[in-house]
């Protein structure tokens, strides 16, 4: 054989590694106990309005093969995803999430902590029958971390995991430490005027948010949402 050729069956000459001792498979994680809220409870908390489609975003339910659950960024509502339905291929249904404190749920208090946000959102989506077929969860910015927590809770409840979980425009959950945020915390600024000046410095001056009456209306929601971001600690399971 020439110098460039590999000797025949040379792979047999390599030493065979000793396999590492195997461990017994972990016992399946028991599903957490939960109760889907009644219609009266959902109506009282605004949970019956968790899915808010745009006026032209209607689909034939019998033709839906995949559901796309969309969770918006801090301070935003379901309308951030209105119009997406027209861009989807046939068989995909867009489900824009309306969190409390905005849009159709503006009279409901925003979520203040991750346990409440995660478990309540999961309850509401189950009640809305969002997991009866294949689905994808997409979250933008704050919604990205919320998507991660939602999937953890769903799996813990014994509900099948999504086809895909998309975390967009925010750091990975493992990099959630506020020290890694390019801007640092925002909610420590207690006075409204300085709060908005810092908000505009970071994200640009939005003309729609320059009116004092608008600022007074949306500031509690924005503070609540940024509070979630600043205090996020991801949940992990061995199944996701």
């Amino acid at each position: 054989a020439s110098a460039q050729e590999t000797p025949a069956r040379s792979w047999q000459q390599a030493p065979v590694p000793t396999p590492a001792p195997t461990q017994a498979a972990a016992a399946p994680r028991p599903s957490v106990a939960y109760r889907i809220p009644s219609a009266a409870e959902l109506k009282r908390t605004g949970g019956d309005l968790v899915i808010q489609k745009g006026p032209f975003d209607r689909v034939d339910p019998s033709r839906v093969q995949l559901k796309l659950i969309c969770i918006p960024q801090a301070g935003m509502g379901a309308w951030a995803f209105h119009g997406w339905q027209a861009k989807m291929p046939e068989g995909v249904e867009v489900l824009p999430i309306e969190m409390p404190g905005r849009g159709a749920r503006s009279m409901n208090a925003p979520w203040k902590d991750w346990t409440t946000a995660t478990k309540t959102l999961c309850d509401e989506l189950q009640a809305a029958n969002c997991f009866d077929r294949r689905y994808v969860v997409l979250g933008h910015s704050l919604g990205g971390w919320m998507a991660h927590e939602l999937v953890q809770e769903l799996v813990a409840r014994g509900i099948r995991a999504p086809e895909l979980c998309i975390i967009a425009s925010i750091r990975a959950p493992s990099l959630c430490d506020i020290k890694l945020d390019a801007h640092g915390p925002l909610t420590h600024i207690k006075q409204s005027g300085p709060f908005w000046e810092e908000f505009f410095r970071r994200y640009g001056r939005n003309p729609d948010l320059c009116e004092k009456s608008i600022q007074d209306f949306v500031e509690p929601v924005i503070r609540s949402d940024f509070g979630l971001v600043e205090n996020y600690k991801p949940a992990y399971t061995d199944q996701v």
Side-chain angles (χ1 to χ4, degrees), residues 64-71 91-93 95 122 125-126 129-138 147 150-166 240:
V64 173
Q65 300 176 16
L66 178 76
K67 295 182 176 181
L68 176 59
I69 300 170
C70 300
I71 310 175
V92 176
E93 181 182 19
L95 301 178
C122 193
L125 294 179
Q126 280 190 265
N129 201 29
C130 292
F131 310 115
D132 60 335
R133 62 200 71 191
R134 296 167 55 236
Y135 68 98
V136 168
V137 181
L138 178 148
L150 173 65
V151 172
Q152 304 293 328
E153 178 69 15
L154 289 169
V155 172
R157 292 187 181 194
I159 299 170
R160 65 178 179 182
E163 302 295 314
L164 188 65
C165 178
I166 304 171
V240 178

Side-chain angles (χ1 to χ4, degrees), residues 77-100:
W79 62 268
F81 301 102
H82 290 176
W84 279 36
Q85 187 65 62
K87 307 295 184 180
M88 293 293 126
E90 185 177 353
V92 176
E93 181 182 19
V94 177
L95 301 178
I97 300 301
E98 190 81 283
M99 294 186 288

